[in-house]
């Protein structure tokens, strides 16, 4: 499968250039992808961002050199750290000790292995989807900046929903919901995909409460996937299948821009609750 070869080619390039500045555009080209699509795809498949993978691999390789009695300052500069202090801080965060302590006999260090992509045949059910062309539209709602570091987004987004339900924001949003219902929107991604803004909102009806933020969803061609089951587990599984199964099988790429979760007003924890994932795509 060409997709599989392309992703592994990108990983090989990262590994061969660990001491060089990360050029995400060059890496994405090797995977026949845009930088946005490659980084989003990579994170969804591996659970870490490209930048975080490179950081962990560099610190893994750096630890091996530290144990070989190479000078700390030389190792720090080799792996892109401007000062020994910055290197020591990052080293301690990953390995739980300073570089000098790592040289002591019997020290336990952490190793983050090189990743590779493989085909996994699961025999799962078909993945139904539909394509929709939709003009731009405006939304309003409550927003929160979310980090993807160490998979924190999977925890922070459900917590944000809980916060909005506890302070009454969700109830106010539901009272303003139109035909499509309530949106969960991922938007304003950082270039390295390590953070984005998440909005719980609705289509703008012309009245924006003072504590709500406005945004515009650009016109796009959307791939729409149905999720059936209690939140948030059901929709998280749909997201995983989109990147692990649907995109490799169809040849579509995700366009840069907002991504939508569309929640009809209803019994969200119910086992038969239906909602949708919308991603902007191109062939």
């Amino acid at each position: 499968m060409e997709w599989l070869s392309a992703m592994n080619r990108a990983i090989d390039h990262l590994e061969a250039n660990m001491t060089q500045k990360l050029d995400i555009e060059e890496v994405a080209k090797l995977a026949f992808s845009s930088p946005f699509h490659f980084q989003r795809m990579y994170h969804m498949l591996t659970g870490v961002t490209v930048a975080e993978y490179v950081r962990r691999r560099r610190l893994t390789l750096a630890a091996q050199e530290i144990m070989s009695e190479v000078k700390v300052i030389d190792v720090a500069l080799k792996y892109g750290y401007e000062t020994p202090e910055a290197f020591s801080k990052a080293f301690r965060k990953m390995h739980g000790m300073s570089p000098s302590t790592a040289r002591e006999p019997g020290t336990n260090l952490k190793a983050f292995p090189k990743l590779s992509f493989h085909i996994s045949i699961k025999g799962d059910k078909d993945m139904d989807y539909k394509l929709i062309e939709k003009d731009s539209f405006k939304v309003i709602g409550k927003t929160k900046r979310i980090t993807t570091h160490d998979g924190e987004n999977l925890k922070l987004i459900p917590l944000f929903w809980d916060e909005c339900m506890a302070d009454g924001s969700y109830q106010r949003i539901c009272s303003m919901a139109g035909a499509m219902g309530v949106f969960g929107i991922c938007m304003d991604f950082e270039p390295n995909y390590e953070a984005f803004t998440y909005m719980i909102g609705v289509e703008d009806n012309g009245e924006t409460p003072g504590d709500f933020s406005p945004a515009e969803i650009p016109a796009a061609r959307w791939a729409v996937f149905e999720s059936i089951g209690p939140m948030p587990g059901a929709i998280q599984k749909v997201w995983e299948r989109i990147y692990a199964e649907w995109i490799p099988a169809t040849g579509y790429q995700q366009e840069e821009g907002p991504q939508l979760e569309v929640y009809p007003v209803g019994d969200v924890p119910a086992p038969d609750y239906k909602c949708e994932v919308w991603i902007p795509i191109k062939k």
Side-chain angles (χ1 to χ4, degrees):
M1 180 184 284
E2 183 57 29
W3 171 85
L4 196 67
S5 298
M7 292 297 286
N8 283 322
R9 187 163 56 244
I11 293 291
D12 289 342
H13 178 81
L14 288 173
E15 288 292 325
N17 292 274
M18 277 294 164
T19 60
Q20 306 300 315
K21 184 178 179 180
L22 175 60
D23 185 345
I24 194 62
E25 290 192 2
E26 181 65 24
V27 177
K29 284 180 182 178
L30 292 171
F32 304 134
S33 301
S34 68
F36 178 85
H37 175 76
F38 176 74
Q39 291 185 99
R40 178 64 167 145
M41 184 92 170
Y42 189 94
H43 178 260
M44 291 300 296
L45 290 174
T46 67
V48 297
T49 64
V50 177
E52 180 65 14
Y53 172 77
V54 170
R55 279 196 294 270
R56 293 183 185 184
R57 287 292 295 143
R58 284 174 174 170
L59 289 168
T60 295
L61 298 173
Q64 297 172 11
E65 297 196 26
I66 289 292
M67 295 175 69
S68 299
E69 300 298 326
V70 180
K71 291 182 179 179
V72 171
I73 189 171
D74 292 338
V75 176
L77 293 175
K78 179 178 180 178
Y79 289 102
Y81 293 88
E82 295 183 356
T83 65
E85 291 75 19
F87 172 69
S88 294
K89 182 179 179 180
F91 192 94
R92 183 183 295 275
K93 185 175 181 180
M94 176 169 169
H95 295 286
M97 67 191 73
S98 67
S100 58
T101 303
R103 287 180 168 155
E104 296 178 2
T107 301
N108 291 320
L109 296 169
K110 295 182 179 179
F112 191 79
K114 175 188 173 183
L115 298 181
S116 61
F117 294 93
H118 302 276
I119 296 175
S120 177
I121 301 175
K122 300 179 180 180
D124 210 340
K125 61 182 180 180
D126 293 339
M127 193 167 192
D128 296 332
Y129 69 98
K130 56 187 175 182
L131 301 181
I132 293 177
E133 303 280 348
K134 187 172 177 61
D135 293 335
S136 64
F137 61 100
K138 296 181 179 179
V139 294
I140 56 171
K142 298 287 287 188
T143 61
K144 187 179 184 69
R145 198 68 180 162
I146 301 293
T147 177
T148 61
H149 187 70
D150 287 337
E152 283 295 297
N153 52 304
L154 297 178
K155 302 175 184 177
L156 294 175
I157 291 176
L159 285 174
F160 182 45
W161 281 88
D162 290 342
E163 292 170 11
C164 288
M165 289 178 182
D167 67 16
S169 298
Y170 175 71
Q171 290 76 8
R172 291 162 57 206
I173 290 169
C174 285
S175 69
M176 303 166 63
M180 292 185 70
V182 176
F183 299 128
I185 306 173
C186 303
M187 57 187 181
D188 300 333
F189 292 88
E190 287 188 1
N192 60 7
Y193 189 69
E194 296 207 310
F196 60 90
T197 296
Y198 188 82
M199 173 187 281
I200 301 174
V202 292
E203 287 190 85
D204 189 353
N205 61 6
E207 298 180 9
T208 304
D211 60 336
F212 282 16
S213 301
E216 182 168 350
I217 308 301
R221 187 184 196 195
W222 301 88
V224 179
F225 305 86
E226 187 177 60
S227 168
I228 303 176
M231 295 297 102
I235 204 165
Q236 289 177 350
K237 290 180 180 178
V238 171
W239 278 111
E240 291 172 3
R241 291 193 66 197
I242 289 170
Y243 290 91
E245 300 175 34
W246 184 79
I247 287 178
T250 61
Y252 282 105
Q253 285 195 23
Q254 183 174 343
E255 286 274 34
E256 188 167 356
Q259 306 153 30
L260 311 179
E261 297 164 343
V262 181
Y263 297 101
V265 176
D267 186 9
V268 175
D272 59 349
Y273 177 73
K274 294 182 180 181
C275 57
E276 294 176 334
V277 171
W278 291 42
I279 61 169
I281 50 93
K282 64 181 178 181
K283 191 68 173 176

